[in-house]
Amino acid sequence: MREIINLNQGWKFIREDAGLPMELPEHWQDVDLPHTWNRVDGMDGNGGYYRGRCWYAKMFSTPVQPLGKGRVYVEVLAAGQQAAVYVNGREAAYHEGGYSIFRADVTDLCRQDRENLLVVACDNGEKSSVYPQSADFTFYGGLYRGVNLISVPAVHFDLDYFGGPGLKVTPMPWGEQDGAKFELESWVADPDENFTVLYRIEDEDGKEVASAARPAKDTKVTVAVPRAHRWNIDDPYLYRVTATLWRRNEAFDEVSVQAGVREFSCDPEKGFMINGVETPLRGVSRHQDKLYQGNALTKSDHWADACMIKELGANTIRLAHYQHSQDFYDACDRLGFVAWAEIPFISVFNQDPAAHENCVSQLKELIIQNYNHPSICFWGISNEILIGGISDKLVENHVELNNLAHELDSTRFTTIAHVSMTPADGPMHHLTDVESYNHYFGWYGGKMTDNGPWLDKFHGEHPDICLGLSEYGCEGIVTYHGPEPACKDYSEEYQALYHEHMAKVLDERPWIWSSHVWNMFDFGCAARNGGGVGGRNNKGLVTMDRKTKKDSYYIYKAYWNKEPMVHICGRRYAQRAGDTTRIRVYSNQPEVELMVNGQSAGKITGDKVFVFTAALRPGLNMVTAKAGDVWDSITLEKVDEEPAIYVLPEVKNRAEGVANWFKLAGDLDLEAPMKFPEGRYSVRDTLEELAECREALEIVSKAVKLAANFDLAPGKGMWGMMKSMTPEKMVEFAGDGLPKGFLESLNEKLIGIKKKS
């Protein structure tokens, strides 16, 4: 029978390209898996992190099957981003792609008389044939999900096909009285006529409800389950399907998966429906890292993340921007999330044919390894891919990926996450079954109030497209506060106001098939340096260490969680000046009463957001909000002057910088068309072209810093993602978030610089 041996303990590791050892290197560092070498530098704000090849080594004994003949596999659950596996000095496998399972058959490399040396070389360096090429998150290196040794008999369920389980289960509602049919198929390596596959389906109580037997060379069969219990968001009922490989009276091998019976659809007007019930999908996106752990999360870490999202009341999760751990997909199955799973075809399209083959390979791995998860309803084929521009080849590759997804899985929808600047009309539409946009109106550009009108306009012009909102959000850092929050002040208050507005926008538009807050948790992005917290993207509703739920978390809990709740905002805005202060309260109850120092400050009837104006006495003040049977309490201090730390210095500097920018630009005729003289730089040149001239790049870098508080440096950070963009396109993305004349003034400066011939 199959034996799975966990190899996570007792590895040797070196953070350099030390080369292949022929014996266990005793001087290397002792580590256990999961492990990443970027757990600190991938998020510490120093502007970079180690990207290169590092080595892991461990000894293992060769497992022996009872009959003597068998196969031995090394199973790597993920290795960022490329990896080679060696046993006793010989290469057993090489894999490109940092997020999926791969296996190496090491049978012929193992020794029976003594222990074997297992070595894995991981490399998170840039490689043109491997996606992601460039993106707004850290590409952690390492064996960050663990390693297993699998021993199987010579005849066994297949372990070589794209890391899959060797068993495919397709449950579908069927017939009358809520029956279901389960289409079952398995793959057996090298069987003969003596082998049979026995299928068994058990309910959640362990009771067998259906079974079937098939020859091992022809395993496909359909079985009926009468009165099947449906898998649903509020009732995620799971069946267990087991395939056992028999030879005469002996079980040789066995695999088991969980499965759920459900049907779903999307309609441009009705949105998402599951089991015939209209159910707007409202939830979050999630990255797989944690403070000073990087992406080396344990099973309990994944479960805790899923439970915190469930507490929020979300019913969907977008697993961005790559394949996540089986532990997390299992949690989605058990907790009732509708999941969007995707490949890291993101931001930058590489014309290298090998890169497209890597996309194909990663999509195959994603679908084959995760086909049996009932939570997954959508396969995502790319994210914001038009950042680097569009081409016929890009569109052609999307068509091929979409067709491949349907070929591998005809039961689920394909989807795509468009960058905000993707034209509403163009060849990138109608490629996938459903579509979504990433919009940051109210943060990177435009106003938060632009979101609703944009969605309505697109919906009106394209009534045949099922439209979702795959990303939206803004950064909130719990240090920054103030009575008048504004865009890009990074305050917890502005983030809360933004999400107040967005929660209402989405609640009023149930035809939006899905929405996903960007992001559930702050996450590592070594290239970022914004808001005084470098190395991170701080758009999370929860801090990266999972210790603090920001106020924005609770507005969604008020909308999505049915359990009675009340939350007073601004608890970290603990010292306040002025005779009165505004106190915001979130609740899913119809009425809230505010008490200040034991005295009522009034009752308000409303919907989700309740705003009180209260007078504070000098010193400490106890503030309590009561809504039905639930209450919340904080303490505020009235002070003469609020702490300087509450205001990000860059907020003031940016305003002064924009004013100085216009002074230097001089008088401009904003009504006159911009000029683009031949042989001169302009806002229509790409950043890569502008970088050829130091003076031009300095001007554009200053403009980008003022406009977006983003540091632009060739070869560093997210340069690879942005180098194909033009300033004109960047300002178009910003909408009316920039002062009038900003683009014109930038162009006026650039056309003053002559291009080198």
Side-chain angles (χ1 to χ4, degrees), residues 370-434:
N370 296 287
Y371 182 92
N372 296 317
H373 290 288
S375 57
I376 298 175
C377 295
F378 303 93
W379 302 120
I381 63 172
S382 75
N383 175 78
E384 294 191 341
I385 201 63
L386 290 197
I387 283 179
I390 192 170
S391 66
D392 291 341
K393 190 64 177 175
L394 175 64
V395 176
E396 178 186 319
N397 285 7
H398 275 77
V399 171
E400 183 178 337
L401 291 172
N402 187 70
N403 291 341
L404 175 62
H406 284 308
E407 177 186 323
L408 293 171
D409 183 2
S410 62
T411 70
R412 292 178 173 94
F413 290 137
T414 56
T415 188
I416 189 171
H418 295 300
V419 67
S420 190
M421 64 186 72
T422 298
D425 295 289
M428 292 302 290
H429 297 291
H430 300 101
L431 293 177
T432 54
D433 299 318
V434 297

Side-chain angles (χ1 to χ4, degrees), residues 43-74:
M43 62 188 74
D44 64 2
N46 287 323
Y49 60 107
Y50 181 81
R51 296 189 67 180
R53 180 182 293 174
C54 298
W55 295 79
Y56 295 84
K58 177 182 174 62
M59 304 301 294
F60 72 92
S61 299
T62 305
V64 178
Q65 284 289 317
L67 296 180
K69 294 181 179 180
R71 308 302 297 178
V72 179
Y73 285 81
V74 171

Side-chain angles (χ1 to χ4, degrees), residues 4 63 80 149 191 306 331 481 532 538 619 637-638 651 716 718 754:
I4 300 176
L149 197 66
H481 306 282
N538 300 291
E637 182 184 9
K638 182 179 180 180
V651 172
K716 295 182 180 180
M718 290 180 286
K754 187 176 180 180

Side-chain angles (χ1 to χ4, degrees), residues 7 78 117 244-245 377 399 422 427 480 499 504 545 554 611 704 734:
L7 295 183
L117 175 63
T244 306
L245 179 64
C377 295
V399 171
T422 298
Y480 305 129
H499 285 293
K504 189 171 188 294
D545 57 9
Y554 291 95
V611 183
V704 171

Side-chain angles (χ1 to χ4, degrees), residues 563-576:
E563 183 179 343
M565 59 79 62
V566 63
H567 170 79
I568 304 174
C569 299
R571 61 196 61 220
R572 285 163 287 277
Y573 183 16
Q575 295 176 293
R576 305 191 186 188

Side-chain angles (χ1 to χ4, degrees), residues 449-494:
T449 51
D450 294 336
N451 284 279
W454 190 98
L455 293 166
D456 292 339
K457 184 173 185 292
F458 185 96
H459 183 53
E461 293 175 350
H462 301 275
D464 59 331
I465 292 178
C466 294
L467 178 64
L469 188 59
S470 37
E471 290 182 25
Y472 65 98
C474 67
E475 300 201 47
I477 295 173
V478 298
T479 300
Y480 305 129
H481 306 282
E484 300 298 333
C487 180
K488 288 199 173 68
D489 67 2
Y490 290 86
S491 70
E492 189 175 4
E493 282 72 30
Y494 180 76

Side-chain angles (χ1 to χ4, degrees), residues 112-146:
Q112 302 297 328
D113 56 337
R114 54 197 173 100
E115 284 196 315
N116 304 282
L117 175 63
L118 171 62
V119 176
V120 183
C122 293
D123 189 346
N124 67 336
E126 183 177 350
K127 189 169 185 180
S128 66
S129 61
V130 181
Y131 282 103
Q133 294 284 295
S134 181
D136 187 17
F137 56 91
T138 297
F139 301 169
Y140 297 95
L143 292 173
Y144 67 90
R145 285 190 195 147

Side-chain angles (χ1 to χ4, degrees), residues 316-372:
T316 181
I317 307 176
R318 181 182 175 210
L319 280 306
H321 288 297
Y322 38 72
Q323 183 170 330
H324 283 234
S325 167
Q326 290 295 313
D327 291 331
F328 200 85
Y329 293 123
D330 287 343
C332 290
D333 293 342
R334 289 175 58 192
L335 292 174
F337 292 112
V338 171
W340 164 334
E342 65 190 32
I343 57 173
F345 188 24
I346 175 174
S347 304
V348 176
F349 169 58
N350 193 323
Q351 296 274 0
D352 185 352
H356 178 59
E357 288 307 308
N358 181 250
C359 263
V360 169
S361 175
Q362 292 203 52
L363 185 60
K364 287 180 178 179
E365 290 173 332
L366 176 72
I367 296 176
I368 291 165
Q369 292 174 22
N370 296 287
Y371 182 92
N372 296 317

